[in-house]
């Protein structure tokens, strides 16, 4: 199977990890040799409730047996999507009430960019250096890392960049700016949190200039940081909220939410201002509904902060220079990239799944399922410390 994987399936790197999977359950992924791998990555923050959570599986199976795709997005009334968007609106601040369901986080970014231009009548988009919002052309255009963009230029025009956490750069937001797009917590850059009321200051500057604030919660959203959405920690409400990854416990989905008035602008001049065939798919919407219900009806959100404390208490080693992030969105910052690579690859051999971050070579991602147990955290951290202790021997 591995040789067919390498031959017939397009790859993203010359040397994929190529773990051959048989099944997954809870916090573990199992390979074809019968080995259990403790998952500290959760499909890059996608599997919020772990693998094959019973509530999600039941919802998917029941919906798949009822009806699947019946019509392009926005034409038919389909109960899973209506119930989900209604529940989401009840959990969000006033003004974030209407949700457009799409297929992925990067498509949600594309929709948000179009919406900002459509509503304001302006063209300029502002993003942050070292930002990552996806890999489609619009998302790539606002990526703040030239090395990954250069091969695909020309990209969309009229995009400017500011430094995350720099109040001085906020003067670049002007009356020409349609939208300011920021990750609430920068992901690929190394899980960098906003500091010193940075997001409040961005919000104020957007209000002054009439620019729309778009917050990308694709990674930190849905309870991962100890709030349903990370912006709740920082006293800043966006005009457009972008979601993805953890929405459906491992199924492909994304969404952007704004006011009903703003979202209505995609209906006219022209009609079909944003359209998708499979967005709002009833099976995936059922998984979204089950996931959101489980996250909000249990103590999982509060537990993420308790579990963060356990990680920070256990992961103390001279080679770990810093632990960034919040809740179960954590990044170990190692002494150098060689140690980071060694840690990821050696832990993989010992049955612990870790992963890298896009732009920070010294970082190692820890973003396990929200459902991970304290015992599983202790086991995984023990493996990390064992590998770091043996480094260089």
């Amino acid at each position: 199977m591995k040789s067919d994987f390498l031959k017939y399936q397009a790859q993203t790197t010359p040397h994929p990890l190529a773990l051959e999977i048989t099944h997954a359950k809870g916090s573990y992924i199992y390979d074809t040799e019968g080995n259990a791998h403790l998952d500290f990555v959760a499909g890059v923050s996608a599997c919020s409730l772990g693998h094959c959570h019973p509530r999600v599986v039941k919802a998917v199976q029941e919906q798949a047996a009822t009806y699947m795709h019946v019509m392009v997005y926005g034409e038919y009334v389909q109960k899973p999507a209506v119930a989900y968007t209604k529940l989401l609106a009840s959990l969000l601040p006033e003004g974030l009430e209407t949700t457009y369901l799409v297929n992925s986080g990067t498509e949600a970014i594309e929709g948000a960019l179009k919406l900002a231009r459509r509503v304001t009548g302006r063209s300029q988009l502002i993003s942050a250096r070292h930002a990552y919002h996806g890999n489609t052309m619009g998302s790539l255009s606002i990526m703040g890392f030239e090395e990954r963009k250069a091969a695909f230029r020309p990209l969309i025009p009229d995009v400017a960049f500011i430094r995350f956490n720099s109040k001085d750069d906020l003067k670049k937001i002007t009356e020409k700016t349609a939208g300011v797009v920021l990750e609430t917590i920068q992901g690929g850059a190394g899980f960098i949190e906003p500091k010193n009321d940075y997001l409040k200051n961005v919000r104020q500057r957007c209000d002054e200039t009439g620019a729309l604030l778009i917050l990308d919660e694709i990674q930190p959203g849905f309870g991962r940081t100890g709030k349903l959405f990370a912006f709740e920690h920082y006293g800043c409400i966006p005009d457009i909220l972008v979601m993805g990854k953890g929405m459906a416990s491992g199924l492909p989905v994304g969404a952007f939410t704004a006011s009903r008035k703003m979202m209505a602008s995609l209906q006219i001049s022209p009609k079909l201002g944003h359209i998708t065939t499979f967005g709002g798919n009833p099976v995936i919407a059922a998984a979204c509904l089950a996931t959101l219900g489980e996250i909000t009806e249990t103590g999982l959100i509060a537990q993420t902060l308790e579990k963060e404390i356990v990680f920070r208490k256990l992961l103390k080693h001279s080679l770990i220079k810093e632990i960034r992030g919040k809740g179960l969105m954590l990044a170990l910052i190692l002494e150098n990239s060689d140690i980071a690579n060694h840690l990821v690859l050696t832990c993989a051999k010992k049955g612990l799944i870790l992963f890298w971050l896009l732009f920070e070579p010294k970082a190692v991602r820890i973003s396990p399922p929200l459902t991970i147990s304290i015992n599983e955290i202790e086991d995984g951290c023990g493996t990390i410390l064992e590998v770091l202790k043996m480094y260089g021997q």
Side-chain angles (χ1 to χ4, degrees), residues 25-54:
K25 189 171 181 61
S27 299
Y28 291 88
I29 296 173
Y30 298 84
D31 66 25
T32 52
E33 297 178 358
N35 300 310
H37 301 260
L38 179 58
D39 189 357
F40 266 22
V41 177
V44 189
S45 302
C47 302
S48 302
L49 300 180
H51 301 282
C52 296
H53 189 281

Side-chain angles (χ1 to χ4, degrees), residues 223-227 233 300-310 326-328:
R224 185 157 290 281
T225 68
K227 298 283 187 181
H233 290 290
L300 283 174
I301 294 178
Q303 290 169 22
T304 62
L305 297 177
E306 299 168 5
K307 292 170 183 178
E308 176 191 356
I309 292 171
V310 177
K326 184 181 286 291
L328 293 178

